[in-house]
Amino acid sequence: DAELLGIKRKKKPAAAAADAAAEAAGEGGAAAAAGKEGAAAAAAAGDDELVPVEVAPELLQELLAMGFGEARCARGLHFSGNSSVEGAVNWLAEHEGDADLDEPLLVPKATVKQHLSAEEARAQAAELLRKAKVKREKEEADVARIRERERIRVGKELQEAKRKEEDGAMRRMVEERKREKAEEARARDALRAKLEQDRRERRRKLGLPEELSEEEKAREADKARKKAEEEAARHYVYVKPVSGELACVQYSLL
């Protein structure tokens, strides 16, 4: 009835103190609450097991030497970015009223980052550089192999194109030579026919039969043989070799 009449009930002193403490914790516990909720959600989902948070060992030792508890040190370093003692101390001062401040902070195992010593960090960096170098060399070798294969392919194509061009040029030259020989043969045949026609015409004018007699044919054959011998004799040149013997060297006018 009191609520219906708009009368506000007064809270008991204990409840009011609890609410004030909760409000004071307010923003200070937001990050811790978010961390706990995220961890709980991850654990409930079964994604990963929960493990204690890992922080920088040297910063943790400094905070422990200052009198803070280990759980507080871990929380302060974790939620302040794990970067400096001052940041962790400031975070602890702001969250002094958190109820779970002294409880161990658990986070999903997959989110834990391994903190390496200086020597381990150098070794890890050297290993990363080595892997990067191996990868780069492999990529360069692959590129070189592809370029060499492409160079060989282009070279073969150029050689094949050159061979085809040479074959085509040779065929064209042979065909041209055949045409020239055919034209020369036709010209010789035409000349022989013209000479034969002129010979027959002269014989008719002289009152002689057009066809040659056997004696005339023999004389014409003898004249052709002598002419061929004279032509052959012009193709020989006699030189004196080093040995002192005579040598007959035939050369072609072609």
Side-chain angles (χ1 to χ4, degrees):
D1 294 338
E3 291 178 358
L4 293 174
L5 294 175
I7 300 174
K8 297 183 180 179
R9 292 180 177 179
K10 294 183 179 181
K11 296 182 180 179
K12 294 181 180 180
D19 290 342
E23 291 178 1
E27 297 180 357
K36 290 181 64 178
E37 289 176 1
D47 293 339
D48 201 353
E49 62 177 324
L50 296 178
V51 295
V53 67
E54 292 188 5
V55 293
E58 60 276 8
L59 300 180
L60 178 62
Q61 291 300 323
E62 291 186 29
L63 287 173
L64 290 174
M66 295 171 66
F68 293 102
E70 186 172 355
R72 291 194 175 207
C73 296
R75 285 178 178 273
L77 288 171
H78 177 72
F79 291 114
S80 64
N82 200 24
S83 58
S84 67
V85 172
E86 182 180 358
V89 171
N90 291 335
W91 187 92
L92 289 173
E94 294 173 358
H95 298 78
E96 181 65 29
D98 291 358
D100 58 350
L101 191 60
D102 293 317
E103 295 180 5
L105 178 60
L106 301 178
V107 294
K109 186 177 181 179
T111 63
V112 176
K113 295 182 180 179
Q114 184 180 8
H115 297 281
L116 305 176
S117 63
E119 183 178 355
E120 291 174 338
R122 286 194 295 270
Q124 187 178 40
E127 180 65 16
L128 292 175
L129 289 175
R130 186 191 66 81
K131 290 182 179 179
K133 180 180 180 182
V134 170
K135 182 180 179 181
R136 184 177 66 254
E137 290 177 351
K138 182 179 181 299
E139 292 176 351
E140 291 176 353
D142 293 340
V143 171
R145 184 166 58 254
I146 293 173
R147 288 179 177 174
E148 180 64 16
R149 186 163 59 244
E150 185 68 14
R151 185 189 66 80
I152 294 174
R153 183 186 65 80
V154 172
K156 289 182 178 179
E157 291 180 355
L158 291 176
Q159 290 179 356
E160 181 65 17
K162 183 179 179 180
R163 185 188 63 80
K164 289 181 179 180
E165 180 64 23
E166 291 177 351
D167 292 345
M170 182 62 68
R171 285 195 299 270
R172 290 191 295 271
M173 185 176 66
V174 171
E175 292 173 357
E176 182 66 20
R177 184 58 180 164
K178 287 181 179 180
R179 286 194 296 269
E180 290 177 357
K181 288 184 177 181
E183 292 176 358
E184 290 176 358
R186 288 194 295 271
R188 286 194 299 269
D189 294 340
L191 180 60
R192 291 194 188 97
K194 184 66 172 62
L195 293 175
E196 180 66 17
Q197 183 179 0
D198 293 343
R199 184 185 62 79
R200 289 175 180 273
E201 184 67 24
R202 287 195 301 272
R203 291 179 68 83
R204 282 197 299 270
K205 289 181 179 180
L206 294 174
L208 300 174
E210 293 183 1
E211 296 294 334
L212 296 176
S213 62
E214 294 298 328
E215 183 179 357
E216 290 175 334
K217 290 180 179 180
R219 286 199 300 269
E220 290 292 333
D222 187 59
K223 287 170 62 177
R225 180 179 58 79
K226 289 181 178 180
K227 185 177 180 181
E229 290 177 354
E230 291 176 357
E231 289 291 334
R234 286 203 301 270
H235 296 169
Y236 287 88
V237 177
Y238 294 93
V239 296
K240 183 176 182 181
V242 177
S243 60
E245 298 178 356
L246 293 178
C248 179
V249 180
Q250 183 179 9
Y251 67 93
S252 175
L253 293 177
L254 300 177

